[in-house]
Amino acid sequence: MKNRIPLWLAVAITIVVSLPFGLWLKEWNVPLWAAFIVWAEYFLLGAKPEGLKIMVPSYILGVIGAVLVLILMVAMQKAIPDLKLVSATDVAIAIAFFVGFCIVIYAMKWLPVAGGSGTLPFFNGISMGLATYFVGIYAAYGGIKVDDILVPIVTGVVAILAGLLGAFLGWFNVTILFPQKAD
């Protein structure tokens, strides 16, 4: 296959297409860094639309797993707020993450889409779910104050939206290359 538009130009166009989602939506902005990570996954999975059938559900399941663990973490922080080793609630976080991720990762065996080539998107979903939570800016997402126990859900929605944007960006980037059969 030969591209009618060079990759360097298609990537630059794709980046510009993504900017409104990270700049113009003000307090509803989507984290473009998360979208760009998923965009890269699209290329890793072959840069073909068939990869989306693995990538998107695996990523979303990973985010959901992270959200469930984060909800457990917030509940444990409320249950044992004064128990710490070095910093506030570090014990609650460690217990919640140990127990929660043991369960989430063990559950992969019942999620066929999360195995094989879906493993990376699944783990990226977990990491983006955690990352959007730990940037700490979504407790008042869209100008709306969010209860602590609901913040993981809000950050999960944001991580999923970023992932869907990234999947679109990957598809779009390849599509605007206008590939054709080489002579």
Side-chain angles (χ1 to χ4, degrees):
M1 298 295 283
K2 180 180 175 190
N3 297 326
R4 293 183 204 149
I5 292 180
L7 182 62
W8 60 265
L9 182 56
V11 168
I13 292 167
T14 304
I15 290 170
V16 171
V17 165
S18 75
L19 292 178
F21 298 96
L23 298 175
W24 295 351
L25 302 177
K26 299 189 185 335
E27 64 270 2
W28 298 99
N29 281 342
V30 174
L32 293 181
W33 47 268
F36 294 161
I37 288 170
V38 175
W39 173 8
E41 283 176 24
Y42 185 74
F43 280 91
L44 184 67
L45 293 176
K48 299 201 180 318
E50 302 85 54
L52 295 172
K53 294 175 187 172
I54 295 167
M55 188 174 85
V56 171
S58 297
Y59 177 87
I60 291 172
L61 287 170
V63 172
I64 291 169
V67 165
L68 294 173
V69 173
L70 288 166
I71 290 170
L72 176 62
M73 177 197 76
V74 172
M76 292 209 57
Q77 287 173 323
K78 289 177 183 253
I80 52 172
D82 299 325
L83 187 58
K84 70 177 188 173
L85 294 174
V86 176
S87 60
T89 69
D90 59 0
V91 173
I93 295 169
I95 292 169
F97 277 26
F98 182 82
V99 172
F101 285 115
C102 280
I103 294 168
V104 167
I105 303 308
Y106 188 79
M108 285 177 70
K109 64 195 282 183
W110 293 295
L111 305 170
V113 73
S117 57
T119 302
L120 175 65
F122 183 79
F123 277 93
N124 276 344
I126 290 172
S127 63
M128 293 303 101
L130 293 174
T132 54
Y133 179 85
F134 282 109
V135 294
I137 61 173
Y138 296 105
Y141 190 58
I144 301 167
K145 173 68 176 119
V146 179
D147 185 75
D148 291 347
I149 201 78
L150 299 177
V151 172
I153 295 169
V154 171
T155 61
V157 169
V158 171
I160 288 170
L161 290 174
L164 293 174
L165 175 60
F168 167 77
L169 293 174
W171 170 84
F172 177 78
N173 188 185
V174 172
T175 301
I176 66 170
L177 290 169
F178 300 107
Q180 64 182 7
K181 289 192 177 191
D183 297 330

